[in-house]
């Protein structure tokens, strides 16, 4: 699906003039979101881990492809001080921050009794506390302008649980709660806050699991996809980063001004069970 909004000389892309910051946007869903926002005309600040030359290439490619300003912050989302510097430098460089997408996230799978406490702390810091820090630091500038769009990438695991994912499920349920609080507190200033709750999305990370799982279970790739990864996903297909990007761009637009405090599943029916 092509989510780039082309101009025909009469229409301006819907996010032209806006500045967006997407955490964890050097790969996967975050990069798909950055692409969709840039395609809709927003200047984008990328963030995330990655080799310097690869990040520089991603940044240049986006800027060239969409003709928008693209920046990058290497801030570690587990470090509140670094998060503060990222928001500060974004505001300094662009003079505004209209669209904040909290997407950075990590996972660890283990039974509760064996769940390493340091993994719990890391997942809560990156998947939940980072959003608390970005939101509290971005809100004043959004309130001043009377416009803001905060989009938190939660998960189907923000709405339902699976075994062995204690920290991830706790953090994702937490971010759905944080979304509602931010929506209520900022509602009168033209600011919305919503959570997107994807089921399985096809990313390089997911692709990397397929062959390993096939080997471990002694089954085919197709069986892994259908019976292991997509066991809970009734439509038996992965969501795509383009689908998540398109929804994010819509939520970031003027057209979504009345949608706030929601947790929107993009999960092929998983949470309808
Ligand atoms: P990914 O591993 O491809 O991307 C994660 C991004 O977060 C990367 O850019 C990485 O560099 C960044 N990141 C990790 N630790 C960081 C840190 N300490 N500081 C800054 N950046 C950091 O994963 P993804 O599948 O694209 O996941 C993105 C988000 O979507 C996550 O929050 C994840 O929980 C959520 N999600 C993914 C799926 C899925 O099926 N892929 C489903 C539901 C929700």
């Amino acid at each position: 699906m092509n989510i780039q909004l082309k101009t025909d000389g009469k229409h301006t892309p819907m996010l032209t003039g806006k500045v967006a910051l997407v955490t964890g946007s050097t790969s996967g869903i975050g990069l798909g979101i950055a692409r969709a926002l840039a395609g809709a005309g927003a200047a984008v600040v990328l963030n995330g881990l990655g080799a310097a030359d690869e990040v520089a290439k991603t940044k240049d490619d986006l800027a060239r492809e969409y003709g928008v300003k693209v920046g990058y912050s290497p801030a570690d989302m587990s470090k509140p001080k670094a998060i503060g510097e990222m928001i500060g430098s974004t505001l300094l460089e662009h003079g505004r921050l209209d669209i904040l997408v909290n997407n950075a996230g990590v996972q660890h799978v283990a039974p509760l009794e064996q769940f390493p406490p340091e993994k719990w702390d890391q997942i809560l810091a990156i998947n939940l506390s980072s959003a608390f820090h970005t939101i509290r630091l971005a809100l004043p500038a959004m309130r001043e302008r009377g416009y803001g769009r905060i989009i938190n990438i939660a998960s189907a695991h923000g709405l339902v649980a699976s075994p062995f994912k204690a920290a991830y499920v706790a953090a994702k349920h937490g971010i759905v709660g944080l979304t509602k609080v931010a929506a209520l507190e900022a509602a009168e200033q033209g600011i919305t806050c919503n959570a997107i709750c994807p089921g399985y999305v096809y990313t390089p990370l997911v692709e990397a699991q397929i062959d390993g799982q096939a080997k471990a279970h002694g089954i085919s790739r197709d069986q892994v996809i259908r019976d292991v990864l997509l066991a809970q996903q009734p439509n038996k297909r992965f969501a795509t980063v383009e689908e998540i990007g398109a929804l994010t761009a819509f939520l970031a637009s003027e057209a979504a001004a009345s949608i706030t405090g929601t947790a929107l599943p993009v999960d092929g029916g998983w949470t309808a069970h």
Side-chain angles (χ1 to χ4, degrees):
M1 180 177 49
N2 182 6
I3 34 93
Q4 184 181 8
L5 298 180
K6 294 205 163 61
T7 51
D8 58 6
K10 292 187 214 115
H11 301 294
T12 307
M14 64 184 178
L15 300 179
T16 296
K18 301 279 193 272
V19 174
L21 168 65
V22 186
T23 72
S25 48
T26 49
S27 80
I29 295 173
L31 181 54
I33 291 171
R35 205 172 275 290
L37 296 175
V44 176
V45 179
L46 301 171
N47 158 260
L49 315 176
D53 54 340
E54 281 173 30
V55 173
K57 184 175 179 316
T58 303
K59 198 171 152 257
D60 293 347
D61 286 351
L62 271 184
R64 196 173 336 101
E65 198 172 335
Y66 298 109
V68 295
K69 198 168 162 183
V70 182
Y72 169 67
S73 162
D76 181 339
M77 288 303 103
S78 67
K79 305 268 189 311
K81 189 166 169 281
I83 295 170
E85 287 163 5
M86 175 181 73
I87 301 288
S89 64
T90 301
L91 289 170
L92 198 66
E93 197 174 322
H94 296 270
R96 57 196 292 165
L97 175 52
D98 308 283
I99 302 159
L100 168 65
V101 183
N102 290 302
N103 166 78
V106 291
Q107 173 67 286
H108 185 80
V109 180
L112 262 173
E113 306 92 306
Q114 281 126 47
F115 210 95
E118 61 279 9
K119 283 284 178 202
W120 170 274
D121 289 343
Q122 184 203 28
I123 291 174
L124 268 285
I126 297 170
N127 296 19
L128 177 58
S129 300
S130 71
F132 161 68
H133 294 297
T134 57
I135 292 171
R136 79 182 167 82
L137 294 166
L139 270 177
M142 289 181 175
R143 286 192 203 278
E144 218 167 275
R145 283 194 172 269
Y147 189 92
R149 295 287 186 268
I150 301 167
I151 296 139
N152 297 322
I153 306 307
S155 165
H157 282 120
L159 303 171
V160 294
S162 294
F164 314 128
K165 297 184 175 175
Y168 189 83
V169 170
K172 295 297 187 181
H173 274 67
I175 205 162
V176 169
L178 175 64
T179 299
K180 295 176 186 175
V181 174
L184 294 177
E185 289 191 18
E188 288 189 48
Q189 281 94 40
I191 300 167
T192 69
C193 182
N194 292 286
I196 295 177
C197 299
Y200 262 102
V201 182
Y202 188 74
T203 63
L205 202 77
V206 170
E207 169 56 39
Q209 293 174 36
I210 298 174
D211 288 335
Q213 293 260 12
K215 221 171 169 186
H217 294 282
I219 55 179
S220 69
R221 273 179 62 91
D222 284 351
Q223 281 173 303
V224 170
I225 292 170
R226 194 180 166 82
D227 302 333
V228 180
L229 298 180
L230 299 181
Q232 303 292 336
Q233 209 146 300
N235 67 346
K236 300 295 171 195
R237 70 179 278 278
F238 290 111
T240 65
V241 299
E242 288 81 8
E243 289 166 4
I244 308 296
L247 177 57
T248 305
F250 171 69
L251 289 174
S253 73
E254 292 281 358
S258 296
I259 303 175
T260 195
T262 68
L264 294 163
V266 184
D267 64 2
W270 176 344
T271 52
H273 277 301

